Amino acid sequence: MIFDFPGCCNLNKFRDSIEDYLDFCEERKEKPDKPFSGKFVVRISPAIHHQIFLKAVQSGKSLNRWITEILTNHISSNQPDPPEGGQAVK
């Protein structure tokens, strides 16, 4: 859910919108959406961690920037997802 109130924030409209949304979710017996923080933990082997670190360094990017670009390119390319169980980095 995104709130866009041009000009000065109208807190009453904001509160009403939140209440309407929560009522809507309750009627549908659904949990309200929560915003994503943009952070998540990935557990990988130290060897893979080292390999992707080296790839990032070789490309002149931070590890975070390199992984973000790889993931963004993958979801934008419509490539099939790896098979169940994941895919090893070579």
Side-chain angles (χ1 to χ4, degrees):
M1 183 174 213
I2 297 173
F3 298 97
D4 184 19
F5 297 112
C8 184
C9 246
N10 184 329
L11 289 179
N12 289 332
K13 282 186 181 181
F14 180 74
R15 286 186 189 114
D16 289 345
S17 294
I18 295 283
E19 288 175 17
D20 289 346
Y21 175 67
L22 294 175
D23 289 343
F24 173 77
C25 291
E26 188 175 327
E27 287 172 13
R28 296 179 59 153
K29 298 184 183 351
E30 295 178 355
K31 291 185 179 181
D33 290 336
K34 294 183 180 180
F36 289 94
S37 69
K39 300 176 184 179
F40 65 98
V41 176
V42 179
R43 288 174 176 71
I44 57 175
S45 73
I48 292 174
H49 190 171
H50 184 242
Q51 288 175 340
I52 61 175
F53 168 77
L54 292 176
K55 290 282 192 179
V57 169
Q58 289 169 358
S59 66
K61 299 173 184 162
S62 69
L63 184 58
N64 187 65
R65 172 61 136 228
W66 187 82
I67 290 172
T68 299
E69 288 181 10
I70 294 296
L71 294 174
T72 301
N73 290 339
H74 179 76
I75 61 175
S76 300
S77 69
N78 294 321
Q79 294 177 10
D81 291 335
E84 281 287 321
Q87 180 177 339
V89 174
K90 295 178 182 176

